[in-house]
Amino acid sequence: MSAHRILVLHGPNLNLLGSRQPEIYGHETLDDINNRLYEKAAINGWDITCRQSNHEGELIDAIHAARTDGTDLIVINPAAYTHTSVAILDALNAYEGRVIEVHLSNIHKRETFRHHSYVSRRADGVIAGLGSRGYLLALDSLS
Ligand code: DQA
């Protein structure tokens, strides 16, 4: 079992999980999801930090910090910034560790504007449509 340092980043509006369009995003809250990630990390002896921000620049600052603090995996659900943010793509391109992009919903089954992801150009793996299980599966990419 090797020590890993993981950063989980949740983008805009994901703080509303549980009450936001539950027919699409499910009934779990962000705390429910993060708690499951913290539990899984504890079992495996991994150091994990989960952060949510509604601000593009804060997500970028967190990615910058991960370049030098020993983070070897970023799991990111950029939410709506997936489809708009060259700046988040550029920040991830400046990070050398593994990147897994997660979406709760299957973005390819939804509106056309959700089909394109800037982040996918950098992601080592993409998981979409498996709900919150996607985040847990992203952690499995370490083992
Ligand atoms: C999302 C999909 C995005 O299109 C949307 O803007 C979100 C959440 C998902 O997890 O399914 O906010 O990233």
Side-chain angles (χ1 to χ4, degrees), residues 69-143:
D69 70 0
T71 298
D72 57 353
L73 170 65
I74 295 178
V75 176
I76 183 166
N77 182 347
Y81 290 139
T82 307
H83 320 297
T84 63
S85 183
V86 177
I88 289 176
L89 170 64
D90 284 351
L92 289 169
N93 277 333
Y95 166 76
E96 290 184 350
R98 183 191 297 256
V99 176
I100 307 288
E101 176 183 353
V102 172
H103 299 283
L104 295 153
S105 64
N106 181 358
I107 54 175
H108 302 289
K109 210 175 161 184
R110 300 181 61 193
E111 304 96 321
T112 319
F113 66 85
R114 295 185 202 276
H115 295 180
H116 176 261
S117 165
Y118 283 102
V119 170
S120 292
R121 289 189 68 91
R122 165 61 180 88
D124 299 294
V126 181
I127 301 170
L130 298 183
S132 61
R133 284 187 67 205
Y135 292 99
L136 293 160
L137 293 169
L139 298 192
D140 283 340
S141 75
L142 288 173
S143 41

Side-chain angles (χ1 to χ4, degrees), residues 5-128:
R5 187 162 186 162
I6 304 155
L7 174 64
V8 180
L9 285 178
H10 305 281
N13 300 307
L14 294 175
N15 54 312
L16 301 180
L17 283 180
S19 60
R20 171 197 183 202
Q21 295 182 281
E23 68 287 0
I24 296 175
Y25 297 116
H27 291 276
E28 279 175 297
T29 65
L30 192 61
D31 280 347
D32 293 334
I33 294 172
N34 287 341
N35 285 338
R36 290 209 279 144
L37 294 172
Y38 283 122
E39 271 169 32
K40 180 164 179 151
I43 289 167
N44 288 283
W46 300 330
D47 177 347
I48 191 168
T49 303
C50 300
R51 291 191 55 187
Q52 187 275 333
S53 179
N54 294 320
H55 305 281
E56 191 173 19
E58 280 184 12
L59 295 166
I60 291 166
D61 288 345
I63 295 166
H64 289 180
R67 297 175 72 225
T68 53
D69 70 0
T71 298
D72 57 353
L73 170 65
I74 295 178
V75 176
I76 183 166
N77 182 347
Y81 290 139
T82 307
H83 320 297
T84 63
S85 183
V86 177
I88 289 176
L89 170 64
D90 284 351
L92 289 169
N93 277 333
Y95 166 76
E96 290 184 350
R98 183 191 297 256
V99 176
I100 307 288
E101 176 183 353
V102 172
H103 299 283
L104 295 153
S105 64
N106 181 358
I107 54 175
H108 302 289
K109 210 175 161 184
R110 300 181 61 193
E111 304 96 321
T112 319
F113 66 85
R114 295 185 202 276
H115 295 180
H116 176 261
S117 165
Y118 283 102
V119 170
S120 292
R121 289 189 68 91
R122 165 61 180 88
D124 299 294
V126 181
I127 301 170

